[in-house]
Structures are given as structure tokens and as C-alpha cells.
Amino acid sequence: MLRGPWRQLWLFLLLLLPGAPEPRGASRPWEGTDEPGSAWAWPGFQRLQEQLRAAGALSKRYWTLFSCQVWPDDCDEDEEAAAGPLGWRLPLLGQRYLDLLTTWYCSFKDCCPRGDCRISNNFTGLEWDLNVRLHGQHLVRQLVLRTVRGYLETPQPDKALALSFHGWSGTGKNFVARMLVENLYRDGLMSDCVRMFIATFHFPHPKYVDLYKEQLMGQIRETQQLCHQTLFIFDEAEKLHPGLLEVLGPHLEHRAPEGHRAESPWTIFLFLSNLRGDIINEVVLKLLKAGWSREEITMEHLEPHLQAEIVETIDNGFGHSRLVKENLIDYFIPFLPLEYRHVRLCARDAFLSQELLYKEETLDEIAQMMVYVPKEEQLFSSQGCKSISQRINYFLS
């Protein structure tokens, strides 16, 4: 007997089976029959009929989505349209098993001979994620979607797109980077077109910086040769060695030297950093005290202060690198500190992602467990939404 996830996967596979078409001229004894004593007029049967029709339509959607994931080159516009209306999303459990089935199939069958055919650029999905799953970051929501979409829709961009995310820990920098990866590439972080580097993990020892530079250049070059659209993510960017930042410079220039010219027309660099998150918090707090609402805060209020403070920072190389001094970073994107209401929403999403029931009182209890600053106002969560998932486990034990 099938048990656990395999039983659930088998049930999901049954949903993928398209319903058999009706024979031409076949009669439907339940239609046109509403006599009081007729079995076809029984309300329970009518509801069953509607549920079966809905299940048939759903199975066609699942099959279309599965075939488009496995054979993207053979997926035409009609099939994509059949997958559902604009913005339609698979339920979380269905998407999970769809991804599992796709991975299983592609483990023994080459679904994609090169990385490029797995590029999806699902801007509708990205917009949905930013609007529904990201909380308290209206500036990020507006700027990231517009900037990334505009860049990738430019026929021949003259430079790589460089975005630098700044803010306190737990405000959503890694979360948004993951949204970009998942919506631009069918395989997410497993895509051959994506590389993620964590400064303290991939480049921990300053004495090996020359080796790191050679390895980094080789990985960038290899990825760009493989894919016409690439994405490079540098987490803890403020901890990157100045020599590594120098190596990246030619890849971000408008006209790179011939030896460093990018092989792929579209390249995005994301830098994630806690650097000067305190300045963002100070500006936001000042505006809130002056009577501004959070949603009235604009990039004009924050970006000039943020960029100036990054340049003046003396205890790391990022602000003094040519990336900043020569304006090779296109946008410094501030992530605002999160408030109590945003922490509650993060807790709710954590329950939903694990398909768990919750009570409003539980969300309040979780939000109240966080530390809020400054000491007097206690407006901002010092950890943002970090550790929310772990705190949920406390209520499940």
C-alpha cells in the first residue's frame, strides 16, 4: 500500500489524467429531467455533477502546466492560455507535487538541453508575489518589478543591471531575491543560469583572495556562455573583499573592455546588504513622527541619504569600491523596518505555507514575542520577520 507523500503524489497524478471525451451523440439522461421523483433531479447529484466538471477542468490545467514545464519549447500560447486566466496560481500543495513530478521525470529524461529553455520571465507571477507575499515594502514592490521587467524587455541593453538591496536583517532582501529567481527561471536556484554567493561562506579567507578572484571570474564567464540571461546574487555584500569587488567592475560598465565583455545580453547583479540599514530606520522614524504615513514615503526621501552614507562608511570596502564611486550600481533599494502588523502577516503566511490552521490570538502572541525598537517608541521589529517559522514550532509542540 502506498503511504505518506507517495500516496499523495499518486492522488495528484490522477488529477493529471485528462477526462475522456464524450462519444458524439451520447445522451445525458440527467439533462432536461426535473421531475420530482427523478434520481437525476436529486440536488446531491447535481452538486456531484458540478464537482466532476470542476475536477475535469482542473486536471486539464494541471496537465497543461506540467507539459509546459517539461517541454517548454513545445508549449505554445494556446496551451499557456488553457492553463488558466492571467495571474492564476496553483494551490501550494498542487504546485509542490507538480514540481516534484517534473523533477522526477527530468531525472532520467533530458527535458532541456541547455539552460536557456528554462527561462520563464513570469512577470505576472512576480507581480503577484510582490503584492501578496511581501509585506511592508511598497518601495521595493514598485521599483523591482518595473526595473527588472523594463531591463529584460530591452532588446539590446548596453550594460548589466545592478541592484543593491539595503536594510535590517529580516526585512525581506533574500525573500525578494528568491522571488526573482523563482519567477525568472523555471528551476529557481537550481538553474544553470543563476549563481548565488555568500561572502563569508564562499570567500571566507582574505589570504586566498587571488584564488577567489580567479574562481569568481571563471564562474561568471561559464554561466554567461551557457545562458543568454544570467543572474548573480551576492549576499552579505558589505563583507566582500575589495579585490573581488574590483573584479566585478568591468561586468557592470556601460562598455566593458573586450576581454571582459559579457557573453550574455542580459545580466543582473543583486547585492544584498545590511549596510546602513540604521540610516533607513532613522529617516523612516523621523517621517512617521512628522505625521507622514508609511505609504507616503518615497525613494526621494531615502535613496540620497542611503547612497551618501554608504560612500562615507569607512569600515568596509563596498562603499569605497568603484561599483559605488563610478555609479555602476543602478539602484540602491531601501527595505523599510517592519512594524507589528507586518510581523503578524509574516506569521500568518508561515502557518499557511505549512498548511496549518491558526487563530488570530496566536498571530498576536507570535508578534508580541519579537523585540521592538527604539526603546521609547517600540515601532520596528529588531529582527524583522526573521525566526518567525521557528517561533511557530513553539505553538505546535
Side-chain angles (χ1 to χ4, degrees), residues 37 45 91 96 115 126 130 136 174 209 239 258 269 281 354 374 379:
F45 181 81
R96 184 180 304 165
L126 177 59
L130 291 169
N174 275 281
V209 66
K239 298 176 183 178
E258 195 65 34
F269 285 87
N281 295 0
Q354 299 181 46
L379 278 177

Side-chain angles (χ1 to χ4, degrees), residues 87-153:
W88 185 81
R89 311 268 302 177
L90 276 175
L92 179 64
L93 185 63
Q95 182 65 60
R96 184 180 304 165
Y97 288 125
L98 184 64
D99 292 340
L100 177 62
L101 182 62
T102 303
T103 302
W104 169 76
Y105 179 85
C106 293
S107 66
F108 61 86
K109 176 70 176 177
D110 190 8
C111 303
C112 178
R114 64 188 191 284
D116 281 355
C117 71
R118 304 293 292 171
I119 294 172
S120 56
N121 288 348
N122 181 9
F123 297 119
T124 300
L126 177 59
E127 182 176 14
W128 189 93
D129 282 342
L130 291 169
N131 286 329
V132 176
R133 299 173 62 201
L134 181 66
H135 306 301
Q137 304 297 352
H138 65 285
L139 298 178
V140 177
R141 185 181 303 127
Q142 297 164 7
L143 190 58
V144 167
L145 179 64
R146 184 177 72 245
T147 303
V148 172
R149 182 170 192 164
Y151 174 74
L152 294 178
E153 290 181 346

Side-chain angles (χ1 to χ4, degrees), residues 52-294:
L52 288 173
R53 287 176 177 171
L58 183 60
S59 70
K60 291 179 181 177
R61 282 183 173 181
Y62 278 127
W63 176 256
T64 301
L65 287 166
F66 170 69
S67 61
C68 285
Q69 283 197 202
V70 174
W71 305 289
D73 288 339
D74 298 327
C75 182
D76 57 29
E77 294 181 0
D78 291 338
E79 284 183 326
E80 289 186 345
L86 191 64
W88 185 81
R89 311 268 302 177
L90 276 175
L92 179 64
L93 185 63
Q95 182 65 60
R96 184 180 304 165
Y97 288 125
L98 184 64
D99 292 340
L100 177 62
L101 182 62
T102 303
T103 302
W104 169 76
Y105 179 85
C106 293
S107 66
F108 61 86
K109 176 70 176 177
D110 190 8
C111 303
C112 178
R114 64 188 191 284
D116 281 355
C117 71
R118 304 293 292 171
I119 294 172
S120 56
N121 288 348
N122 181 9
F123 297 119
T124 300
L126 177 59
E127 182 176 14
W128 189 93
D129 282 342
L130 291 169
N131 286 329
V132 176
R133 299 173 62 201
L134 181 66
H135 306 301
Q137 304 297 352
H138 65 285
L139 298 178
V140 177
R141 185 181 303 127
Q142 297 164 7
L143 190 58
V144 167
L145 179 64
R146 184 177 72 245
T147 303
V148 172
R149 182 170 192 164
Y151 174 74
L152 294 178
E153 290 181 346
T154 301
Q156 289 293 330
D158 60 357
K159 75 179 291 291
L161 175 65
L163 304 178
S164 193
F165 294 173
H166 294 266
W168 262 8
S169 178
T171 52
K173 301 182 297 293
N174 275 281
F175 193 39
V176 173
R178 204 158 60 243
M179 287 180 185
L180 282 169
V181 172
E182 291 170 354
N183 285 289
L184 299 183
Y185 301 91
R186 298 178 192 271
D187 300 317
L189 283 171
M190 300 298 293
S191 172
D192 293 332
C193 306
V194 178
R195 290 288 181 271
M196 183 170 186
F197 305 96
I198 303 173
T200 54
F201 179 78
H202 291 93
F203 318 112
H205 304 294
K207 64 180 179 180
Y208 297 131
V209 66
D210 290 335
L211 174 62
Y212 295 152
K213 286 162 65 174
E214 183 179 343
Q215 292 175 342
L216 180 59
M217 288 291 293
Q219 290 190 53
I220 291 177
R221 182 167 54 250
E222 177 185 342
T223 306
Q224 291 180 329
Q225 290 172 347
L226 180 65
C227 304
H228 73 269
Q229 177 184 307
T230 53
L231 174 60
F232 300 98
I233 304 171
F234 294 87
D235 197 5
E236 301 179 344
E238 74 278 7
K239 298 176 183 178
L240 286 170
H241 190 280
L244 294 173
L245 293 168
E246 190 69 22
V247 162
L248 296 176
H251 294 279
L252 275 70
E253 293 176 345
H254 278 275
R255 295 186 180 275
E258 195 65 34
H260 296 282
R261 191 175 299 279
E263 297 287 343
S264 53
W266 295 274
T267 298
I268 299 176
F269 285 87
L270 292 184
F271 299 95
L272 317 182
S273 174
N274 296 340
L275 187 64
R276 308 319 281 163
D278 54 335
I279 295 300
I280 297 172
N281 295 0
E282 289 176 13
V283 174
V284 172
L285 180 61
K286 182 178 179 180
L287 290 170
L288 293 178
K289 283 185 172 182
W292 292 71
S293 72
R294 185 186 183 93

Side-chain angles (χ1 to χ4, degrees), residues 135 339-352 356-370 372 388 391-392 395:
H135 306 301
E339 302 173 30
Y340 181 91
R341 56 189 168 119
H342 306 124
V343 176
R344 284 187 87 259
L345 292 172
C346 289
R348 181 205 64 185
D349 290 352
F351 274 104
L352 293 176
L356 299 172
L357 298 177
Y358 65 88
K359 296 180 180 179
E360 295 296 323
E361 296 80 7
T362 305
L363 302 185
D364 283 319
E365 288 185 59
I366 294 174
Q368 290 165 8
M369 294 171 69
M370 308 298 283
Y372 294 86
I388 288 292
R391 293 174 191 272
I392 284 179
F395 293 89

